[in-house]
Amino acid sequence: TQKTIADVTFPEDVNIGMADLQAIVKGEKRTSNVQKRYLRKDGAVVWGEVNINLVRDWEGRPQYWFPVILDITGRKRAEEALQESVAKFRDTVKNLDEGYYSCSIDGLILDYNLAFCRILGIDPAKDMKGQKLPNFWQDPQDRKPYLKELMENGVIRNYLVNAKKQNGEMVVVLAS
């Protein structure tokens, strides 16, 4: 028996790309590129990256579809595993007893954990992402040799920082 593409497409994904196909027929788009799932004969689900073009005759009338489907199942599995790993990493970092933060070169906070807030006396309910890193140096000039070492070596290990909490209380931290 002959099967249609809908017969081998994962049921929830049947309509993915259909608007693109209509736009191609109308001449509003030239090609479609989508990712969707398909069903193999054995019932296994595979991912495909589909690039579809419409072949027209010399007068511009649609003749037939020219689909190219690339099996990206392995890539999708790797992406899922990576997302899972990132989620586990973020959860681990969030719950560390050690303070953690990362920031851009111009001092905007990219990420941090609750211990970072506790150490510097920052309200943990306050969202710091995208904010300027608080000035936690007792002497702001101490930051220059810290940044110099970071730029020269690409890493900081066991660097003593005379820091201050948001309330002004002095504290010494070991930065790595």
Side-chain angles (χ1 to χ4, degrees):
T1 65
Q2 254 187 331
K3 291 189 176 201
T4 67
I5 196 70
D7 294 332
V8 296
T9 301
F10 191 76
E12 294 172 18
D13 294 357
V14 168
N15 291 321
I16 293 177
M18 296 309 280
D20 282 358
L21 298 182
Q22 291 172 355
I24 291 170
V25 170
K26 292 177 185 175
E28 297 166 353
K29 283 186 85 167
R30 293 193 46 135
T31 187
S32 171
N33 187 280
V34 296
Q35 294 180 359
K36 58 200 271 185
R37 294 166 289 182
Y38 293 94
L39 299 169
R40 288 193 330 208
K41 282 183 183 181
D42 64 4
V45 176
V46 294
W47 276 93
E49 182 171 79
V50 188
N51 190 336
I52 298 178
N53 291 288
L54 179 61
V55 177
R56 298 176 184 270
D57 67 13
W58 62 278
E59 291 180 347
R61 291 182 300 234
Q63 294 298 299
Y64 58 91
W65 294 105
F66 185 70
V68 176
I69 303 173
L70 176 66
D71 183 346
I72 60 167
T73 306
R75 179 184 353 159
K76 284 296 204 178
R77 286 186 185 137
E79 288 171 357
E80 264 181 38
L82 179 60
Q83 288 173 350
E84 212 173 279
S85 179
V86 166
K88 285 179 183 176
F89 170 77
R90 288 193 183 284
D91 190 52
T92 299
V93 168
K94 178 182 173 187
N95 294 302
L96 282 175
D97 285 335
E98 293 83 17
Y100 163 82
Y101 77 96
S102 65
C103 67
S104 64
I105 195 70
D106 55 348
L108 294 181
I109 295 177
L110 303 173
D111 204 4
Y112 62 97
N113 69 359
L114 295 173
F116 172 76
C117 293
R118 179 181 41 78
I119 291 167
L120 295 179
I122 298 168
D123 179 2
K126 181 180 177 187
D127 186 6
M128 301 280 294
K129 286 186 182 175
Q131 302 295 313
K132 189 85 171 147
L133 187 64
N135 181 11
F136 56 78
W137 298 85
Q138 288 179 25
D139 179 353
Q141 294 301 314
D142 289 347
R143 187 169 186 255
K144 289 179 182 176
Y146 170 86
L147 289 176
K148 183 176 186 262
E149 183 173 327
L150 179 61
M151 294 306 218
E152 287 175 0
N153 301 322
V155 67
I156 292 286
R157 287 194 176 91
N158 300 323
Y159 195 98
L160 283 176
V161 175
N162 293 316
K164 63 182 175 185
K165 293 185 174 192
Q166 294 294 289
N167 66 5
E169 179 186 340
M170 301 301 175
V171 60
V172 177
V173 296
L174 188 62
S176 289

